[in-house]
Amino acid sequence: MAALEVEGLTKDYGEVLANDDVTFAVAEGEVFGYLGPNGAGKTTTIRTLMGFQSPTSGGGTVLGHDVTDEADLIAAKRRIGYLPANPSFDEGVSGREILDLHASIKGDERREELLETFDPPIDRKVRDYSTGNVQKLGLVQAFMHDPDLVVMDEPTAGLDPLMQRAFNDFVEAEKERGLTVFLSSHVLSEVRRVCDRVGILRGGRLVTTEHIEDLLHRTGKFVRVRVAGDVGASAFDLDGVHDVSCSTTDGGRVDEPAEVDGETVDPPDTGDETTDRAVPGDADSPRVDGPVTECTFTFTGNVNDLIAALGERTVIDLDVEEAPLEEVFMRFYGGDDA
């Protein structure tokens, strides 16, 4: 049984169609990332799943309980942890009192362990908390009753980099224990590290749901290559090559100093007049005769075909990396924040 299911979920506010026939499922023990720009409809989905608002049509289940049936959903909430976007608490009480209240409702068997991990200042009044400390208190309350499913809206917002890393480590450990996590996020490095699958939302509609590795593989590799000669983008006119950018520089003669990382470096005395140019920017690169061209592009084709094409040229160096997740994301959005 899926831990969370959404079927044809639609929420129409009149002027805004926040969710438009959204359908997906999250398996038990899976960490599922829900991605999209501001206004895409992520929070609307989450609020509907938590029973805070009713859908215009469609619906869903969490842990087998109908999100449109208030009485049924109350039973499920005992096994759900929830962290909203921008959590807020009574500012006139301490963090300890906040946690005591939540403990009286749902339990707190993991409170001390979580306080060690996230360390909010629980003996201070909430009014004196920074944004990051409010977020840390919210994380403790979301996990302290040892839920089966945790739903979080931008869980690392306001956290410093060290605490973001601690959160990611914690989620990875919880995944090993079998916890199911559904989270929305703008932090793409976080999504790549902790999520098994992602759903990408745009303008209220679900664009795709894919495993992270499949998504990266389909989007291709990022290639940076330097070759001898004055080479234009047309030299890489192969199937699967996208967005080629090339620049050509003069390497500098062997009897002239070269600029390497901003410093002037005298060339070595090789005694070989045929290798009379240095590649600026890399002291370890081969020395070549003539200009040097650097090209970058995204490649979605067969890497063997790329290697064969490069074999026709003098390759100085070649880097092939997975495309950054930011690049993947922009391929779905094209710079449009709809």
Side-chain angles (χ1 to χ4, degrees), residues 156-185:
T156 59
L159 299 181
D160 62 46
L162 289 177
M163 191 52 62
Q164 287 183 22
R165 179 180 297 179
F167 170 79
N168 292 337
D169 290 343
F170 176 75
V171 171
E172 287 187 314
E174 290 302 290
K175 181 167 65 173
E176 292 297 317
R177 296 177 65 244
L179 178 69
T180 306
V181 177
F182 178 82
L183 63 89
S184 75
S185 180

Side-chain angles (χ1 to χ4, degrees), residues 68-310:
T68 64
D69 185 329
E70 184 177 358
D72 193 30
L73 193 56
I74 287 174
K77 285 184 177 180
R78 296 188 179 95
R79 300 162 53 203
I80 298 173
Y82 173 59
L83 179 70
N86 306 311
S88 61
F89 303 102
D90 184 343
E91 295 189 345
V93 301
S94 69
R96 186 181 300 278
E97 290 172 293
I98 295 292
L99 296 181
D100 287 344
L101 174 62
H102 281 266
S104 69
I105 298 169
K106 60 189 181 185
D108 67 343
E109 52 263 49
R110 298 188 65 187
R111 183 202 288 209
E112 294 308 315
E113 169 199 347
L114 290 158
L115 287 174
E116 258 187 59
T117 300
F118 297 112
D119 195 28
I122 60 172
D123 290 318
R124 286 163 46 189
K125 300 289 188 184
V126 173
R127 69 165 62 96
D128 298 324
Y129 277 25
S130 65
T131 301
N133 281 332
V134 170
Q135 196 75 8
K136 290 190 285 185
L137 185 66
L139 287 168
V140 173
Q141 68 79 27
F143 286 91
M144 70 182 191
H145 57 300
D146 200 19
D148 297 321
L149 166 68
V150 177
V151 178
M152 295 180 284
D153 199 349
E154 299 289 345
T156 59
L159 299 181
D160 62 46
L162 289 177
M163 191 52 62
Q164 287 183 22
R165 179 180 297 179
F167 170 79
N168 292 337
D169 290 343
F170 176 75
V171 171
E172 287 187 314
E174 290 302 290
K175 181 167 65 173
E176 292 297 317
R177 296 177 65 244
L179 178 69
T180 306
V181 177
F182 178 82
L183 63 89
S184 75
S185 180
H186 284 106
V187 184
L188 300 182
S189 59
E190 166 186 288
V191 168
R192 178 171 183 173
R193 177 175 171 185
V194 304
C195 293
D196 300 301
R197 283 193 306 140
V198 296
I200 298 180
L201 201 66
R202 175 177 182 170
R205 294 190 66 85
L206 196 64
V207 179
T208 187
T209 57
E210 296 195 46
H211 288 276
I212 285 284
E213 294 306 319
D214 290 344
L215 186 62
L216 290 169
H217 179 74
R218 186 164 62 84
T219 305
K221 305 290 185 181
F222 180 75
V223 177
R224 184 183 69 86
V225 60
R226 288 196 294 167
V227 297
D230 188 352
V231 175
S234 60
F236 298 95
D237 188 14
L238 305 171
D239 288 341
V241 171
H242 310 277
D243 307 322
V244 182
S245 175
C246 294
S247 61
T248 302
T249 57
D250 189 1
R253 288 187 171 279
V254 73
D255 54 359
E256 297 174 350
E259 286 289 326
V260 178
D261 294 333
E263 297 183 5
T264 301
V265 178
D266 291 327
D269 182 9
T270 63
D272 185 351
E273 296 300 324
T274 64
T275 57
D276 66 346
R277 289 189 179 268
V279 181
D282 188 348
D284 295 326
S285 295
R287 305 180 70 78
V288 298
D289 183 15
V292 173
T293 300
E294 176 174 300
C295 293
T296 60
F297 50 89
T298 302
F299 185 62
T300 57
N302 187 318
V303 174
N304 290 324
D305 294 340
L306 176 62
I307 297 300
L310 291 175

